[in-house]
Amino acid sequence: LLASEMLDAIDSGELIYAAGVWAAIYAAFTALFFWFPGEEIDGYVPDPANPKRKLRYRLNGLAVFLVTVLGYCCACAAGFLPWTLFYTYRWYFINFANVVGLVGSVYFYVRCDRSGAVSKTTKAGEIIGAPWPVMNHPNGAIRFLARFFFGQEANVHWDVFDVKMYLYLNGALVLMLNIISFAAQQATLRKDQSLSSGTVVYIVLFGWFLVEYLWHEYVHVYTWDFVGENTGFKLWWGCFVVFAYFYPVGAWATVSNPEFEHSTLVLVAAVVCFFSGWMLSRGANNQKWTFKTNPQKKFLGFVTPRTVHGNVLCSGWWGVARHVNYFGEMLMSVGLALAADYTNPLAWLYTVYYVLLLVTRERDDDWRCEQKYGPEWVEYRKRVPYRIVPYLY
């Protein structure tokens, strides 16, 4: 009965308009992703079809992101779209994203199941080297849920086009469009029709985060996201819904209290906290990329690479904590929360999510690294006893 009442309340014309605009934006973005030129590089993961060579990637994410955002803003400025589009139709768009995320997850589960596209399996159907033991759980229902959630296929790749790269770019793009729309909504609600100082800082910080992330695409193909993560519900739904619509939850707080103003001290704290975290996260990831591509090269020209038996990096940022980059990402989320309406609990949901995500992910990473490196990882734990936060955790 409740579902029937909800359906009756939907304006069919509004639904059709929202679906059409949402589909058009995704169609334009997808066409640009496949069409736009970019530098082609070798990644870290071996090509399953030819293990002697690496998978190749086309790095056009930043160009596609900027062109799509600019095109969207031009369409809004010309009056073809309302500046508040992603705010006005937020529930429609979130539901569309949920559907696509679920359909994509089902498709890739069925695709792997039928084609045997799982990397390596035993005759009993167990995944060899499964990233999580639960994927080979003896209980069929648990095994199904684990494989559906985490995914069974590591790298879905066509020529230089990678599904993971598409999904992460999709999340970054829609996240930015959400921030723009929510900022426009705040301006319409304020007495002077302007953005608050906190919202300006929030846009700048998140915009920096996204642009800088895409600028370093060549680094990310060496990270766990591309090396170890499978293409399942966690990635599909996560990029279409969580990355795109939950990450900017701080923008919801700015709209709920549009007249809220920050003190200069809080805004300075937000910027300092964010960029301190950025230096930790970006510094650690770039140092690891430098080591993987050129093991003898000094990071930044002066940080000498020291290792455990030549395989596990334990100097520089990686001598401070075993996942100091995760601490950096947590600090960035705190900076973003401070730039939003920090008195609203909504502003802190992103931080809480990141802490829960990265603390549990560090445990998974630790297990995987122990499986891969064995005694070398045990020695690394002794040399660097802190997991994420230096001298604390």
Side-chain angles (χ1 to χ4, degrees):
L1 179 62
L2 177 61
S4 176
E5 290 178 354
M6 290 176 65
L7 288 172
D8 289 341
I10 292 175
D11 184 323
S12 59
E14 190 175 76
L15 173 62
I16 292 171
Y17 173 80
V21 171
W22 191 85
I25 291 172
Y26 271 91
F29 152 67
T30 303
L32 285 173
F33 175 78
F34 282 101
W35 169 78
F36 219 78
E39 181 186 0
E40 295 182 7
I41 66 166
D42 289 333
Y44 183 76
V45 178
D47 186 342
N50 184 358
K52 293 183 179 180
R53 68 183 185 187
K54 304 291 188 180
L55 288 176
R56 287 188 66 77
Y57 297 85
R58 176 180 291 177
L59 307 183
N60 63 0
L62 181 58
V64 172
F65 175 86
L66 293 176
V67 168
T68 308
V69 171
L70 180 60
Y72 173 83
C73 290
C74 288
C76 292
F80 296 116
L81 295 173
W83 281 102
T84 60
L85 178 73
F86 277 78
Y87 173 84
T88 302
Y89 299 99
R90 58 195 181 282
W91 296 116
Y92 288 111
F93 288 179
I94 291 171
N95 280 301
F96 297 155
N98 269 291
V99 170
V100 174
L102 181 59
V103 169
S105 304
V106 171
Y107 168 76
F108 274 95
Y109 179 84
V110 173
R111 177 178 181 269
C112 287
D113 227 32
R114 289 183 175 179
S115 66
V118 177
S119 302
K120 294 180 180 179
T121 57
T122 66
K123 290 182 179 180
E126 291 189 349
I127 300 175
I128 299 175
W132 294 275
V134 71
M135 295 178 73
N136 288 325
H137 197 280
N139 183 290
I142 295 176
R143 187 169 63 247
F144 160 75
L145 289 174
R147 293 186 179 186
F148 178 77
F149 181 79
F150 292 114
Q152 303 178 87
E153 193 171 3
N155 294 285
V156 184
H157 207 86
W158 300 288
D159 190 24
V160 293
F161 301 106
D162 185 80
V163 167
K164 291 179 187 175
M165 192 161 279
Y166 173 84
L167 291 173
Y168 286 122
L169 178 56
N170 154 75
L173 172 64
V174 178
L175 190 162
M176 193 69 226
L177 298 185
N178 267 298
I179 291 174
I180 292 171
S181 292
F182 275 73
Q185 177 65 16
Q186 187 204 43
T188 64
L189 296 174
R190 284 170 62 87
K191 293 177 182 178
D192 59 2
Q193 301 288 288
S194 67
L195 296 177
S196 69
S197 56
T199 296
V200 172
V201 172
Y202 186 82
I203 293 171
V204 170
L205 294 183
F206 235 137
W208 171 270
F209 170 78
L210 297 173
V211 170
E212 187 273 340
Y213 173 87
L214 295 170
W215 177 269
H216 287 96
E217 274 187 312
Y218 64 92
V219 173
H220 299 304
V221 298
Y222 281 77
T223 61
W224 183 88
D225 293 333
F226 283 85
V227 174
E229 190 164 20
N230 287 355
T231 311
F233 177 83
K234 178 174 177 280
L235 186 63
W236 264 95
W237 187 81
C239 285
F240 267 94
V241 179
V242 179
F243 190 4
Y245 294 94
F246 177 74
Y247 274 31
V249 68
W252 291 62
T254 63
V255 170
S256 65
N257 186 13
E259 299 294 342
F260 180 81
E261 284 291 352
H262 292 68
S263 68
T264 302
L265 180 62
V266 171
L267 290 180
V268 170
V271 172
V272 170
C273 190
F274 178 89
F275 281 105
S276 297
W278 173 76
M279 285 190 290
L280 287 175
S281 179
R282 174 55 54 215
N285 286 332
N286 279 23
Q287 184 189 1
K288 182 164 60 176
W289 173 82
T290 300
F291 175 70
K292 286 183 176 181
T293 55
N294 190 347
Q296 304 304 319
K297 184 177 180 180
K298 291 184 178 181
F299 177 58
L300 299 178
F302 64 89
V303 181
T304 302
R306 294 194 303 273
T307 65
V308 179
H309 305 304
N311 291 319
V312 181
L313 186 64
C314 62
S315 62
W317 293 119
W318 299 98
V320 175
R322 298 198 297 272
H323 282 88
V324 71
N325 55 327
Y326 289 176
F327 180 44
E329 294 188 35
M330 293 175 187
L331 285 177
M332 285 193 286
S333 72
V334 172
L336 289 166
L338 289 173
D341 178 1
Y342 58 88
T343 63
N344 189 323
L346 279 177
W348 295 97
L349 287 181
Y350 177 50
T351 301
V352 172
Y353 162 80
Y354 244 38
V355 170
L356 294 175
L357 170 73
L358 295 177
V359 167
T360 55
R361 180 165 164 175
E362 186 278 332
R363 298 281 174 162
D364 289 336
D365 289 353
D366 191 72
W367 177 83
R368 286 163 57 86
C369 288
E370 185 176 13
Q371 303 302 306
K372 180 177 181 179
Y373 296 109
E376 296 176 5
W377 190 255
V378 175
E379 175 62 25
Y380 178 53
R381 284 185 187 140
K382 293 178 181 177
R383 294 193 193 185
V384 185
Y386 301 103
R387 293 178 178 271
I388 297 176
V389 184
Y391 306 107
L392 290 177
Y393 175 71

